[in-house]
Amino acid sequence: MATYNKRGYKAPKEKEEKVDANFIEDTPNVDAKDSATAKAFDALDETASRTEEWVARNQKYIMGVIAAAALVTIGYLSYQKFIVTPKEENATADLFVAQSNFQLAADATDAKKQDSLYNLVLKGAEGKQGATGIASQYSGTDSGNIANYYAGIAYLNLKKYDDAITYLTKFSSKDVFLGAIATGAIGDAWSQKNDAKKALEFYEKAAHQNINEFTTPRYLFKAGQTALELGNKAQALKYFTEIKEKYETTPEAQNIDALIGLAQ
């Protein structure tokens, strides 16, 4: 155990023995503050000793915890290096073809050609698997996530609305536009299924998911139209008024006064 010098203690000086009827013992000069400091050092000594004893008794447990933490860290890094990274690279190669066909389908003007291209997006082409296969095989990767979006939009355009909802629900994005578009597309699928209440729920969510001058007025407009369809004029008026007041330069605001009139 560590020892500390106790300051303030002065060894009593040796006195010559005198025969004195009035004998008085010489008392050492001890400062009260220094004495308290010495006690504090003693307390530190005792605490340090107890800590050392606890460590000694629990050394195996402590080392086990440290080893476990190290294994978790090593395991995570190994997983990222040997599992996630190769999967991501393979998924990206497959996804490139699906993306290309998706863009061609979006640009196509012929309905039959468009349907054919969307089917290629889903099923794959050029020896590469389609969006559904990528989403399944590479689940948990960025490529697998975006494949859910491509699959959902492809199914929506092919009028397979339940499948569209399934894949779009799995998709997540922090992108200002893409996340809102996916949510709005779920609203479109519910609308096509003639469930206006569910459609309104997703249109409203999409409108305010990421506030901007593209997706917000677009889905406020759809929400207003759907609210009118449901006979909820007050709610429709709220959506149309927000477009008029905040997004007056957008395409959705061009005939907004007429819609406001219908909702009043």
Side-chain angles (χ1 to χ4, degrees), residues 203-238:
Y203 288 147
E204 185 173 29
K205 182 179 178 182
H208 298 104
Q209 187 166 334
N210 287 301
I211 304 298
N212 62 80
E213 293 197 354
F214 173 64
T215 60
T216 300
R218 177 180 182 179
Y219 293 113
L220 282 173
F221 190 85
K222 289 192 174 188
Q225 288 180 313
T226 307
L228 278 180
E229 181 184 338
L230 290 168
N232 193 336
K233 289 188 174 183
Q235 198 170 6
L237 180 61
K238 182 183 71 171

Side-chain angles (χ1 to χ4, degrees), residues 103-243:
Q103 189 60 53
L104 290 171
D107 295 338
T109 56
D110 180 77
K112 289 185 177 180
K113 183 178 180 180
Q114 189 177 58
D115 287 352
S116 177
L117 287 165
Y118 277 128
N119 275 307
L120 291 179
V121 170
L122 294 168
K123 298 176 182 179
E126 300 177 24
K128 303 295 183 182
Q129 61 183 327
T132 56
I134 296 168
S136 175
Q137 184 174 350
Y138 302 108
S139 175
T141 68
D142 291 339
S143 296
N145 181 50
I146 194 66
N148 283 314
Y149 174 81
Y150 290 133
I153 299 298
Y155 276 127
L156 182 64
N157 282 277
L158 291 170
K159 300 179 174 58
K160 297 182 178 180
Y161 304 119
D162 289 329
D163 291 327
I165 291 169
T166 296
Y167 279 94
L168 289 169
T169 301
K170 293 178 183 179
F171 173 70
S172 63
S173 176
K174 295 180 180 179
D175 182 84
V176 173
F177 302 120
L178 205 56
I181 290 171
T183 302
I186 295 174
D188 290 338
W190 282 113
S191 179
Q192 292 298 322
K193 284 169 61 67
N194 297 315
D195 192 332
K197 287 185 178 180
K198 290 292 289 186
L200 179 58
E201 175 188 337
F202 282 94
Y203 288 147
E204 185 173 29
K205 182 179 178 182
H208 298 104
Q209 187 166 334
N210 287 301
I211 304 298
N212 62 80
E213 293 197 354
F214 173 64
T215 60
T216 300
R218 177 180 182 179
Y219 293 113
L220 282 173
F221 190 85
K222 289 192 174 188
Q225 288 180 313
T226 307
L228 278 180
E229 181 184 338
L230 290 168
N232 193 336
K233 289 188 174 183
Q235 198 170 6
L237 180 61
K238 182 183 71 171
Y239 299 135
F240 293 143
T241 301
E242 186 174 348
I243 294 172

